[in-house]
Amino acid sequence: MAEIIQKDGTWAFDGDTLRIVPGSDKSVGLLRRTLGETAVPLGALAGIAYEPGRRSGRLRLRLRDGACPLAQVTAGKLPDGSDPYVLAVETRTAAVAEYLVDEVRTALLLDGVPDGPVDGYLLPGPALPMTVGAGDGTVSFDGRTIRLEWTWHTDDKKTAAGPVSLDLEDVKAVHWQPARGLVDGYLRFVTTPNAPRLAPGSDPLAVELNGFKKDPLMALLASAVVARMPHPHAPRRQLESAAPVGALEGPAAPPAEDHDVLLRRLRELGELRQSGVLTEEEFAMAKRAVLKRL
């Protein structure tokens, strides 16, 4: 077991899973505190690094493309205080951080984990139902329907149409962009990929984000939606076999409870192997069966 405990949080690695627990320090962002403990399976990792600094360093995970719905949505745009895969490390504990890095890298090498993309999420989306209010609107998601409601300062063009409800199967893409300087960010749901894009403040399928404290929570909600949509790297034959005759789009996502149950089962299998209940051969067979269902 390799473990590092900091004000920013705790990272513990047991050879199969890296457990990330956010700290209570004021520097820990609202997104990380809301997300809570995260269990990252070894197979989801592409790499890990310790970045030394004058006053403090950083532990930073690099996930395989498509392994995590939150990372898929945010694409490296989260600030360090909000990013669950970054840990601030006091300089005096740099040696502990470097030891953790060595342990994870060794495990990746011994297990032969590739660093390329995966064709199914290895981490679950946030628990549902979920509601987030930020910027000029409030978004709710229950696993099947996305609902957008507006605040008192929303542009008249959006409020005139009233609240918006979207079926998950009608959403083709989810785009999240944080506010940068004087440029507002947004969370946008795309139903017609080639349609002209309106400004977020005028788009009834978008929430305009102004750079305030709760803005990153919209990225968390976006990840809950993305986790239940067809995976971007899913083999084409799987999409075609699941689609109705004549359909050009990918299939609707499986029910949220199935997705989460299967991911929990993967974690349970890892724990059974670690405790010696399952042999390596039994674990491999059971894992393949669960991954096929995912």
Side-chain angles (χ1 to χ4, degrees):
M1 170 74 77
E3 182 178 58
I4 182 167
I5 302 173
Q6 300 290 294
K7 292 180 179 179
D8 210 28
T10 299
W11 287 16
F13 180 62
D14 63 7
D16 293 304
T17 303
L18 179 64
R19 296 195 177 275
I20 297 174
V21 181
S24 57
D25 191 71
K26 64 181 181 180
S27 65
V28 179
L30 183 58
L31 185 154
R32 287 170 60 189
R33 296 200 301 271
T34 303
L35 181 62
E37 181 175 338
T38 302
V40 184
L42 183 66
L45 294 178
I48 183 172
Y50 172 65
E51 304 168 352
R54 292 182 60 186
R55 295 186 178 180
S56 66
R58 290 283 188 276
L59 270 172
R60 194 179 302 272
L61 289 184
R62 184 167 59 89
L63 300 184
R64 296 173 65 187
D65 184 19
C68 172
L70 178 61
Q72 191 74 25
V73 166
T74 56
K77 299 172 187 174
L78 281 174
D80 286 355
S82 295
D83 193 335
Y85 304 123
V86 176
L87 180 71
V89 177
E90 297 175 7
T91 302
R92 62 185 179 84
T93 56
V96 180
E98 291 171 346
Y99 173 71
L100 178 69
V101 168
D102 288 342
E103 288 293 293
V104 174
R105 287 178 175 172
T106 299
L108 288 171
L109 182 62
L110 291 176
D111 279 33
V113 178
D115 62 1
V118 296
D119 58 9
Y121 291 118
L122 302 180
L123 285 91
L128 299 177
M130 187 176 186
T131 299
V132 174
D136 68 350
T138 297
V139 184
S140 302
F141 180 53
D142 61 7
R144 297 182 182 277
T145 304
I146 302 158
R147 183 173 174 83
L148 295 87
E149 300 180 82
W150 312 117
T151 64
W152 62 270
H153 59 84
T154 306
D155 187 275
D156 291 343
K157 293 179 182 178
K158 293 165 75 168
T159 56
V164 175
S165 291
L166 296 170
D167 290 335
L168 179 62
E169 62 185 12
D170 293 330
V171 178
K172 309 307 178 189
V174 181
H175 298 157
W176 174 83
Q177 178 71 39
R180 298 290 191 194
L182 299 177
V183 180
D184 289 333
Y186 57 83
L187 169 62
R188 191 193 309 272
F189 300 99
V190 178
T191 57
T192 308
N194 296 322
R197 295 284 178 264
L198 299 173
S202 303
D203 188 347
L205 300 184
V207 174
E208 185 178 49
L209 304 175
N210 312 115
F212 295 110
K213 183 179 179 180
K214 292 186 177 181
D215 279 10
L217 292 184
M218 281 296 182
L220 198 58
L221 186 139
S223 74
V225 176
V226 165
R228 292 157 177 91
M229 293 173 62
H231 193 277
H233 304 318
R236 185 173 181 82
R237 61 181 180 277
Q238 291 182 12
L239 299 179
E240 290 174 345
S241 64
V245 176
L248 297 179
E249 299 84 12
E257 59 273 19
D258 292 348
H259 178 272
D260 295 338
V261 165
L262 292 172
L263 287 169
R264 283 199 300 272
R265 180 60 178 157
L266 282 176
R267 290 195 291 270
E268 291 169 357
L269 289 172
E271 292 169 359
L272 290 173
R273 180 183 66 168
Q274 186 70 18
S275 62
V277 175
L278 292 179
T279 66
E280 288 293 333
E281 183 178 0
E282 291 169 338
F283 169 78
M285 291 177 62
K287 181 179 177 181
R288 282 197 298 271
V290 175
L291 289 176
K292 284 182 179 178
R293 293 168 63 190
L294 270 172

